[in-house]
Coordinates of all heavy atoms in Angstrom, one line a residue:
M1113 N 4.2 -11.9 5.8 CA 2.8 -11.9 5.8 C 2.3 -12.2 4.4 O 2.7 -11.6 3.4 CB 2.2 -10.5 6.3 CG 0.8 -10.5 6.3 SD 0.2 -8.8 6.9 CE -1.2 -9.4 7.8
K1114 N 1.3 -13.2 4.3 CA 0.8 -13.6 3.0 C -0.2 -12.5 2.5 O -1.0 -12.0 3.3 CB 0.1 -14.9 3.2 CG -0.4 -15.5 1.9 CD -1.0 -16.8 2.2 CE -1.6 -17.4 0.9 NZ -2.3 -18.6 1.1
A1115 N -0.2 -12.2 1.3 CA -1.1 -11.2 0.7 C -2.5 -11.8 0.8 O -2.8 -12.9 0.6 CB -0.7 -11.0 -0.8
E1116 N -3.4 -10.9 1.1 CA -4.8 -11.2 1.2 C -5.6 -10.8 -0.1 O -5.6 -9.6 -0.3 CB -5.4 -10.5 2.4 CG -4.8 -10.9 3.7 CD -5.4 -10.2 4.9 OE1 -6.6 -9.9 4.9 OE2 -4.6 -9.9 5.8
P1117 N -6.1 -11.7 -0.8 CA -6.8 -11.4 -2.0 C -8.0 -10.4 -1.7 O -8.7 -10.6 -0.7 CB -7.4 -12.7 -2.6 CG -6.6 -13.7 -1.9 CD -6.1 -13.2 -0.6
N1118 N -8.1 -9.3 -2.5 CA -9.2 -8.4 -2.3 C -9.2 -7.8 -0.9 O -10.3 -7.5 -0.4 CB -10.6 -9.0 -2.7 CG -10.6 -9.4 -4.1 OD1 -10.1 -8.7 -5.0 ND2 -11.2 -10.5 -4.3
F1119 N -8.1 -7.6 -0.3 CA -8.0 -7.1 1.0 C -8.7 -5.7 1.1 O -8.6 -4.9 0.3 CB -6.5 -6.8 1.4 CG -6.4 -6.2 2.8 CD1 -6.5 -6.9 3.9 CD2 -6.2 -4.8 2.9 CE1 -6.4 -6.3 5.2 CE2 -6.1 -4.2 4.1 CZ -6.2 -4.9 5.2
G1120 N -9.6 -5.6 2.2 CA -10.3 -4.4 2.5 C -11.4 -4.0 1.5 O -11.9 -2.9 1.5
R1121 N -11.9 -5.0 0.7 CA -12.9 -4.6 -0.2 C -14.2 -5.4 0.1 O -14.1 -6.6 0.5 CB -12.5 -5.0 -1.6 CG -11.3 -4.1 -2.1 CD -11.1 -4.2 -3.6 NE -10.2 -3.2 -4.0 CZ -9.0 -3.5 -4.5 NH1 -8.7 -4.7 -4.8 NH2 -8.2 -2.5 -4.9
T1122 N -15.3 -4.8 -0.1 CA -16.6 -5.5 0.1 C -16.8 -6.4 -1.1 O -16.1 -6.2 -2.1 CB -17.7 -4.4 0.2 OG1 -17.8 -3.7 -1.0 CG2 -17.5 -3.5 1.3
P1123 N -17.8 -7.3 -1.0 CA -18.0 -8.1 -2.2 C -18.4 -7.3 -3.4 O -18.1 -7.7 -4.6 CB -19.2 -8.9 -1.8 CG -19.1 -9.0 -0.3 CD -18.5 -7.7 0.1
E1124 N -19.0 -6.1 -3.2 CA -19.3 -5.2 -4.4 C -18.1 -4.5 -4.9 O -18.2 -3.7 -5.9 CB -20.4 -4.2 -4.0 CG -21.7 -4.9 -3.5 CD -21.6 -5.3 -2.0 OE1 -21.0 -4.7 -1.2 OE2 -22.3 -6.3 -1.7
G1125 N -17.0 -4.5 -4.1 CA -15.8 -3.8 -4.5 C -15.7 -2.4 -4.1 O -14.9 -1.6 -4.6
T1126 N -16.6 -2.0 -3.2 CA -16.6 -0.6 -2.7 C -15.4 -0.3 -1.9 O -15.1 -1.0 -1.0 CB -17.9 -0.3 -1.9 OG1 -19.0 -0.7 -2.7 CG2 -18.0 1.1 -1.4
I1127 N -14.7 0.8 -2.2 CA -13.6 1.3 -1.4 C -14.0 2.6 -0.7 O -14.5 3.5 -1.3 CB -12.4 1.6 -2.3 CG1 -11.9 0.4 -3.1 CG2 -11.2 2.2 -1.5 CD1 -11.4 -0.7 -2.3
E1128 N -13.8 2.6 0.6 CA -14.2 3.7 1.4 C -13.0 4.7 1.6 O -13.1 5.9 1.7 CB -14.7 3.3 2.8 CG -16.0 2.5 2.8 CD -16.4 2.1 4.2 OE1 -15.6 1.4 4.8 OE2 -17.5 2.4 4.6
V1129 N -11.8 4.1 1.7 CA -10.6 4.8 2.0 C -9.4 4.3 1.2 O -9.3 3.1 1.1 CB -10.2 4.8 3.5 CG1 -8.8 5.4 3.7 CG2 -11.2 5.4 4.3
S1130 N -8.6 5.2 0.6 CA -7.4 4.8 -0.1 C -6.2 5.4 0.7 O -6.2 6.6 0.9 CB -7.3 5.3 -1.5 OG -8.4 4.7 -2.3
I1131 N -5.3 4.5 1.1 CA -4.1 4.9 1.8 C -3.0 4.9 0.8 O -2.7 3.9 0.2 CB -3.8 4.0 3.0 CG1 -4.9 4.0 4.0 CG2 -2.4 4.4 3.6 CD1 -4.8 2.9 5.1
V1132 N -2.4 6.1 0.5 CA -1.4 6.2 -0.5 C -0.1 6.5 0.2 O 0.0 7.5 1.0 CB -1.7 7.4 -1.5 CG1 -0.6 7.5 -2.5 CG2 -3.1 7.1 -2.1
M1133 N 0.9 5.7 -0.1 CA 2.2 5.8 0.5 C 3.2 6.1 -0.6 O 3.5 5.3 -1.5 CB 2.6 4.5 1.2 CG 1.8 4.1 2.3 SD 2.4 2.5 3.0 CE 1.1 2.2 4.2
P1134 N 3.9 7.3 -0.5 CA 5.0 7.6 -1.5 C 6.2 6.7 -1.1 O 6.4 6.3 0.0 CB 5.3 9.0 -1.2 CG 4.8 9.4 0.1 CD 3.6 8.4 0.4
C1135 N 6.9 6.3 -2.2 CA 8.0 5.3 -1.9 C 9.1 5.6 -2.9 O 8.9 5.7 -4.1 CB 7.4 3.9 -2.1 SG 8.6 2.6 -2.0
L1136 N 10.3 5.6 -2.3 CA 11.6 5.6 -3.1 C 12.6 4.9 -2.3 O 13.2 5.4 -1.3 CB 12.0 7.0 -3.5 CG 13.4 7.1 -4.2 CD1 13.3 6.3 -5.6 CD2 13.8 8.5 -4.5
N1137 N 12.9 3.6 -2.7 CA 13.9 2.8 -1.9 C 13.6 2.7 -0.4 O 14.4 3.1 0.4 CB 15.3 3.3 -2.2 CG 15.7 3.2 -3.7 OD1 15.3 2.2 -4.3 ND2 16.5 4.1 -4.2
E1138 N 12.4 2.2 -0.1 CA 12.0 2.1 1.3 C 11.9 0.7 1.8 O 11.1 0.4 2.7 CB 10.6 2.8 1.4 CG 10.5 4.2 0.9 CD 11.2 5.2 1.8 OE1 11.6 4.9 2.9 OE2 11.4 6.3 1.4
A1139 N 12.7 -0.2 1.2 CA 12.6 -1.6 1.5 C 12.8 -1.9 3.0 O 12.2 -2.8 3.6 CB 13.7 -2.4 0.8
D1140 N 13.6 -1.1 3.7 CA 13.8 -1.3 5.1 C 12.6 -1.1 6.0 O 12.4 -1.7 7.1 CB 15.0 -0.5 5.7 CG 16.3 -0.9 5.1 OD1 16.4 -2.0 4.6 OD2 17.2 -0.1 5.2
T1141 N 11.7 -0.2 5.6 CA 10.5 0.2 6.4 C 9.2 0.0 5.8 O 8.2 0.0 6.5 CB 10.7 1.7 6.8 OG1 10.7 2.5 5.6 CG2 11.9 1.9 7.6
L1142 N 9.1 -0.3 4.5 CA 7.8 -0.4 3.8 C 6.9 -1.5 4.3 O 5.7 -1.3 4.5 CB 8.1 -0.5 2.3 CG 6.8 -0.5 1.4 CD1 6.0 0.8 1.6 CD2 7.1 -0.7 0.0
G1143 N 7.5 -2.6 4.6 CA 6.7 -3.8 5.0 C 5.9 -3.4 6.3 O 4.7 -3.7 6.4
I1144 N 6.6 -2.8 7.3 CA 5.9 -2.5 8.5 C 4.9 -1.4 8.3 O 3.8 -1.5 8.9 CB 6.9 -2.1 9.7 CG1 6.2 -2.0 11.0 CG2 7.6 -0.8 9.4 CD1 5.8 -3.4 11.5
C1145 N 5.1 -0.5 7.4 CA 4.1 0.6 7.1 C 2.9 0.0 6.5 O 1.8 0.3 6.9 CB 4.7 1.6 6.2 SG 6.0 2.6 7.0
V1146 N 3.1 -0.9 5.5 CA 1.9 -1.6 4.9 C 1.2 -2.4 5.9 O -0.1 -2.4 6.0 CB 2.3 -2.4 3.7 CG1 1.2 -3.3 3.2 CG2 2.9 -1.5 2.6
Q1147 N 1.9 -3.1 6.8 CA 1.3 -4.0 7.8 C 0.4 -3.1 8.8 O -0.7 -3.5 9.1 CB 2.3 -4.8 8.5 CG 1.7 -5.7 9.5 CD 2.8 -6.6 10.2 OE1 3.9 -6.1 10.3 NE2 2.4 -7.8 10.6
K1148 N 1.0 -2.0 9.2 CA 0.2 -1.1 10.1 C -1.0 -0.6 9.4 O -2.1 -0.5 10.1 CB 1.1 0.0 10.6 CG 2.2 -0.4 11.6 CD 3.0 0.8 12.1 CE 4.0 0.4 13.1 NZ 4.7 1.5 13.7
A1149 N -0.9 -0.2 8.2 CA -2.1 0.2 7.4 C -3.2 -0.9 7.3 O -4.4 -0.6 7.6 CB -1.7 0.8 6.1
Q1150 N -2.7 -2.1 7.0 CA -3.7 -3.2 6.9 C -4.3 -3.4 8.3 O -5.6 -3.7 8.3 CB -2.9 -4.5 6.5 CG -2.5 -4.5 5.1 CD -1.6 -5.7 4.7 OE1 -0.9 -6.2 5.6 NE2 -1.6 -6.0 3.4
N1151 N -3.5 -3.4 9.3 CA -4.1 -3.6 10.7 C -5.1 -2.6 11.0 O -6.2 -2.9 11.6 CB -3.0 -3.6 11.7 CG -2.1 -4.9 11.6 OD1 -2.5 -5.9 11.0 ND2 -0.9 -4.8 12.2
A1152 N -4.9 -1.3 10.7 CA -5.8 -0.2 11.0 C -7.1 -0.4 10.2 O -8.2 -0.2 10.8 CB -5.2 1.1 10.7
L1153 N -7.0 -0.7 9.0 CA -8.2 -1.0 8.2 C -9.0 -2.1 8.8 O -10.3 -2.0 8.9 CB -7.9 -1.3 6.7 CG -7.3 -0.1 5.9 CD1 -6.8 -0.6 4.5 CD2 -8.3 1.0 5.7
R1154 N -8.4 -3.2 9.1 CA -9.0 -4.4 9.7 C -9.7 -4.0 11.0 O -10.8 -4.3 11.3 CB -8.0 -5.5 9.8 CG -8.7 -6.8 10.2 CD -7.6 -7.9 10.2 NE -7.0 -8.2 8.9 CZ -5.7 -7.9 8.6 NH1 -4.9 -7.4 9.5 NH2 -5.3 -8.1 7.4
E1155 N -8.9 -3.4 11.9 CA -9.3 -3.1 13.3 C -10.5 -2.2 13.3 O -11.4 -2.3 14.1 CB -8.2 -2.4 14.0 CG -8.5 -2.0 15.4 CD -7.4 -1.3 16.2 OE1 -6.2 -1.5 15.8 OE2 -7.7 -0.5 17.1
H1156 N -10.6 -1.2 12.4 CA -11.7 -0.3 12.3 C -12.8 -0.6 11.3 O -13.7 0.1 11.1 CB -11.1 1.1 12.0 CG -10.2 1.6 13.1 ND1 -10.7 2.0 14.3 CD2 -8.9 1.7 13.2 CE1 -9.7 2.4 15.1 NE2 -8.6 2.2 14.4
R1157 N -12.6 -1.8 10.7 CA -13.6 -2.4 9.8 C -13.9 -1.4 8.6 O -15.0 -1.1 8.3 CB -14.9 -2.8 10.5 CG -14.6 -3.9 11.4 CD -15.9 -4.4 12.0 NE -15.7 -5.6 12.8 CZ -16.0 -5.8 14.1 NH1 -16.6 -4.8 14.7 NH2 -15.7 -6.9 14.7
I1158 N -12.8 -0.9 8.1 CA -12.9 0.1 7.0 C -12.6 -0.7 5.7 O -11.6 -1.4 5.6 CB -11.8 1.2 7.2 CG1 -12.2 2.0 8.4 CG2 -11.8 2.1 5.9 CD1 -11.1 3.0 8.8
N1159 N -13.4 -0.5 4.7 CA -13.2 -1.1 3.4 C -12.2 -0.1 2.7 O -12.6 1.0 2.3 CB -14.5 -1.2 2.6 CG -15.4 -2.2 3.3 OD1 -15.0 -3.2 3.7 ND2 -16.7 -1.8 3.4
G1160 N -11.0 -0.6 2.6 CA -10.0 0.3 2.0 C -8.9 -0.4 1.2 O -9.0 -1.6 1.0
E1161 N -8.1 0.4 0.6 CA -7.0 -0.2 -0.2 C -5.7 0.6 0.1 O -5.7 1.7 0.6 CB -7.3 0.0 -1.7 CG -7.4 1.5 -2.2 CD -7.7 1.6 -3.6 OE1 -7.8 0.6 -4.4 OE2 -8.0 2.8 -4.0
I1162 N -4.6 -0.1 -0.1 CA -3.3 0.5 0.1 C -2.6 0.6 -1.2 O -2.4 -0.4 -2.0 CB -2.5 -0.4 1.1 CG1 -3.2 -0.5 2.4 CG2 -1.1 0.2 1.3 CD1 -2.7 -1.5 3.4
I1163 N -2.2 1.8 -1.5 CA -1.5 2.1 -2.8 C -0.1 2.6 -2.5 O 0.0 3.6 -1.7 CB -2.3 3.2 -3.6 CG1 -3.7 2.7 -3.9 CG2 -1.5 3.5 -4.9 CD1 -4.6 3.7 -4.5
V1164 N 0.9 2.0 -3.1 CA 2.3 2.4 -2.9 C 2.6 3.1 -4.2 O 2.6 2.5 -5.3 CB 3.2 1.3 -2.6 CG1 4.7 1.7 -2.6 CG2 2.9 0.6 -1.3
A1165 N 2.9 4.4 -4.1 CA 3.3 5.2 -5.3 C 4.8 5.2 -5.4 O 5.5 5.9 -4.7 CB 2.8 6.7 -5.1
D1166 N 5.3 4.3 -6.2 CA 6.8 4.1 -6.3 C 7.4 5.1 -7.3 O 6.9 5.2 -8.4 CB 7.0 2.7 -6.8 CG 8.5 2.4 -6.8 OD1 9.2 2.5 -5.8 OD2 9.0 2.1 -7.9
N1167 N 8.4 5.7 -6.8 CA 9.1 6.8 -7.6 C 10.4 6.3 -8.2 O 11.4 7.0 -8.3 CB 9.3 7.9 -6.7 CG 9.5 9.3 -7.3 OD1 10.1 10.2 -6.7 ND2 9.0 9.5 -8.6
G1168 N 10.4 5.0 -8.6 CA 11.6 4.5 -9.3 C 12.6 3.7 -8.4 O 13.8 3.7 -8.6
S1169 N 12.0 3.1 -7.4 CA 12.9 2.3 -6.4 C 13.8 1.3 -7.2 O 13.3 0.7 -8.1 CB 12.0 1.6 -5.4 OG 11.3 2.5 -4.6
T1170 N 15.0 1.2 -6.7 CA 15.9 0.2 -7.2 C 16.2 -0.9 -6.2 O 17.0 -1.8 -6.5 CB 17.3 0.9 -7.6 OG1 17.8 1.6 -6.4 CG2 17.1 1.9 -8.7
D1171 N 15.5 -0.9 -5.1 CA 15.6 -1.9 -4.1 C 14.4 -2.8 -4.2 O 13.7 -2.8 -5.2 CB 15.8 -1.4 -2.7 CG 14.6 -0.5 -2.2 OD1 13.6 -0.5 -2.9 OD2 14.7 0.0 -1.1
A1172 N 14.1 -3.6 -3.2 CA 13.0 -4.5 -3.2 C 11.7 -3.9 -2.8 O 10.7 -4.7 -2.5 CB 13.3 -5.7 -2.3
S1173 N 11.5 -2.6 -2.7 CA 10.3 -2.0 -2.3 C 9.1 -2.5 -3.0 O 8.1 -2.8 -2.4 CB 10.4 -0.5 -2.4 OG 11.4 0.1 -1.6
R1174 N 9.2 -2.5 -4.3 CA 8.0 -2.8 -5.1 C 7.6 -4.3 -4.9 O 6.4 -4.6 -4.7 CB 8.4 -2.7 -6.6 CG 7.3 -2.9 -7.6 CD 7.7 -2.6 -9.0 NE 6.5 -2.5 -9.8 CZ 5.9 -1.3 -10.1 NH1 6.4 -0.2 -9.7 NH2 4.8 -1.3 -10.9
V1175 N 8.5 -5.2 -4.8 CA 8.2 -6.6 -4.5 C 7.6 -6.8 -3.1 O 6.6 -7.5 -3.0 CB 9.5 -7.5 -4.6 CG1 9.3 -8.9 -4.2 CG2 10.1 -7.4 -6.0
I1176 N 8.1 -6.1 -2.1 CA 7.6 -6.2 -0.8 C 6.1 -5.7 -0.8 O 5.3 -6.4 -0.2 CB 8.4 -5.3 0.2 CG1 9.8 -6.0 0.4 CG2 7.7 -5.2 1.5 CD1 10.8 -5.1 1.0
A1177 N 5.9 -4.6 -1.4 CA 4.5 -4.0 -1.4 C 3.5 -5.0 -2.1 O 2.4 -5.3 -1.6 CB 4.5 -2.7 -2.1
E1178 N 3.9 -5.5 -3.2 CA 3.1 -6.4 -4.0 C 2.8 -7.7 -3.2 O 1.7 -8.2 -3.1 CB 3.7 -6.7 -5.3 CG 3.6 -5.5 -6.3 CD 4.4 -5.7 -7.6 OE1 5.2 -6.7 -7.7 OE2 4.1 -4.9 -8.5
K1179 N 3.8 -8.3 -2.6 CA 3.7 -9.5 -1.8 C 2.7 -9.3 -0.6 O 2.1 -10.2 -0.2 CB 5.0 -10.0 -1.2 CG 5.8 -10.7 -2.3 CD 7.1 -11.3 -1.6 CE 7.9 -12.1 -2.6 NZ 9.1 -12.7 -2.0
M1180 N 2.7 -8.1 -0.1 CA 1.8 -7.8 1.0 C 0.4 -7.4 0.6 O -0.5 -7.1 1.4 CB 2.4 -6.7 1.9 CG 3.7 -7.2 2.5 SD 4.3 -6.0 3.8 CE 3.1 -6.4 5.1
G1181 N 0.1 -7.4 -0.7 CA -1.2 -7.1 -1.2 C -1.5 -5.7 -1.5 O -2.6 -5.3 -1.8
A1182 N -0.5 -4.8 -1.4 CA -0.7 -3.4 -1.8 C -0.7 -3.3 -3.3 O 0.0 -4.0 -4.0 CB 0.4 -2.5 -1.2
Q1183 N -1.4 -2.3 -3.8 CA -1.3 -2.0 -5.2 C -0.1 -1.0 -5.4 O 0.0 -0.1 -4.7 CB -2.6 -1.3 -5.7 CG -2.7 -0.9 -7.1 CD -3.9 -0.1 -7.5 OE1 -4.9 0.0 -6.7 NE2 -3.9 0.5 -8.6
V1184 N 0.7 -1.3 -6.4 CA 1.8 -0.5 -6.7 C 1.6 0.2 -8.0 O 1.3 -0.4 -9.0 CB 3.1 -1.3 -6.7 CG1 4.3 -0.4 -7.0 CG2 3.3 -2.1 -5.4
I1185 N 1.8 1.6 -8.0 CA 1.8 2.3 -9.2 C 3.1 3.0 -9.4 O 3.8 3.4 -8.4 CB 0.6 3.4 -9.2 CG1 0.8 4.4 -8.1 CG2 -0.7 2.7 -9.2 CD1 -0.1 5.6 -8.2
A1186 N 3.5 3.2 -10.6 CA 4.8 3.9 -10.9 C 4.5 5.4 -11.1 O 3.5 5.8 -11.7 CB 5.4 3.4 -12.2
V1187 N 5.3 6.2 -10.4 CA 5.2 7.6 -10.5 C 6.5 8.1 -11.2 O 7.6 7.9 -10.7 CB 5.1 8.3 -9.1 CG1 5.1 9.8 -9.2 CG2 3.9 7.7 -8.4
Q1188 N 6.3 8.8 -12.4 CA 7.4 9.2 -13.2 C 8.1 10.4 -12.7 O 9.3 10.5 -12.7 CB 6.9 9.4 -14.6 CG 6.3 8.2 -15.3 CD 7.3 7.0 -15.3 OE1 8.5 7.1 -15.6 NE2 6.8 5.8 -14.9
A1189 N 7.3 11.4 -12.2 CA 7.9 12.7 -11.7 C 8.7 12.4 -10.4 O 8.2 11.8 -9.5 CB 6.8 13.7 -11.4
K1190 N 9.9 12.8 -10.4 CA 10.8 12.5 -9.3 C 10.6 13.5 -8.1 O 10.3 14.7 -8.3 CB 12.3 12.6 -9.7 CG 12.7 11.6 -10.7 CD 12.7 10.2 -10.1 CE 13.1 9.2 -11.1 NZ 12.8 7.9 -10.6
G1191 N 10.6 13.0 -6.9 CA 10.6 13.8 -5.7 C 9.2 13.8 -5.0 O 8.2 13.7 -5.7
Y1192 N 9.2 13.8 -3.7 CA 7.9 13.9 -2.9 C 7.3 15.2 -3.2 O 7.9 16.3 -3.1 CB 8.2 13.7 -1.4 CG 8.6 12.3 -1.0 CD1 9.9 12.1 -0.4 CD2 7.8 11.2 -1.2 CE1 10.3 10.9 -0.1 CE2 8.2 10.0 -0.9 CZ 9.5 9.8 -0.3 OH 9.8 8.5 0.1
G1193 N 6.0 15.2 -3.5 CA 5.3 16.4 -3.7 C 5.5 17.1 -5.0 O 5.1 18.3 -5.2
T1194 N 6.1 16.5 -6.0 CA 6.4 17.1 -7.3 C 5.1 17.3 -8.0 O 4.2 16.5 -7.9 CB 7.3 16.2 -8.1 OG1 8.5 16.0 -7.5 CG2 7.5 16.8 -9.5
R1195 N 5.0 18.4 -8.6 CA 3.7 18.7 -9.4 C 3.8 18.3 -10.8 O 4.8 18.3 -11.5 CB 3.4 20.2 -9.4 CG 3.1 20.7 -8.0 CD 2.7 22.1 -8.2 NE 3.2 22.8 -6.9 CZ 3.0 24.0 -6.7 NH1 2.4 24.8 -7.5 NH2 3.4 24.6 -5.6

């Protein structure tokens, strides 16, 4: 799927919902998760963004997320739910 520039944003850049997905080596499933989130935003006409919180993936997770138009941020603290 080709990345959509400014996906889910109004011309003013207003974001109504941020979908945050934690990620650590999720290349096998991340693409479908991002696609489902994009479809839900589009279907419900929600101005939103998809953020993949990458926890140091060594596979293609980061590349997949970026190609699909998700914003990727690096999370230094290891583990889901780490404080």
Side-chain angles (χ1 to χ4, degrees):
M1113 178 179 218
K1114 187 178 177 186
E1116 299 177 35
N1118 298 321
F1119 175 80
R1121 295 195 171 117
T1122 64
E1124 301 81 32
T1126 303
I1127 301 293
E1128 295 176 305
V1129 172
S1130 295
I1131 299 171
V1132 180
M1133 297 180 186
C1135 176
L1136 177 59
N1137 294 328
E1138 305 290 347
D1140 291 342
T1141 57
L1142 185 60
I1144 191 69
C1145 292
V1146 171
Q1147 184 176 28
K1148 285 181 177 186
Q1150 289 173 333
N1151 291 344
L1153 291 171
R1154 188 177 297 111
E1155 179 182 334
H1156 296 286
R1157 295 188 174 121
I1158 297 170
N1159 296 318
E1161 64 183 351
I1162 301 166
I1163 300 168
V1164 173
D1166 184 61
N1167 202 201
S1169 294
T1170 57
D1171 63 3
S1173 296
R1174 185 176 196 93
V1175 172
I1176 292 166
E1178 289 172 346
K1179 281 186 178 180
M1180 296 191 73
Q1183 178 183 351
V1184 179
I1185 61 166
V1187 177
Q1188 299 303 315
K1190 296 293 181 190
Y1192 291 119
T1194 299
R1195 293 184 214 181

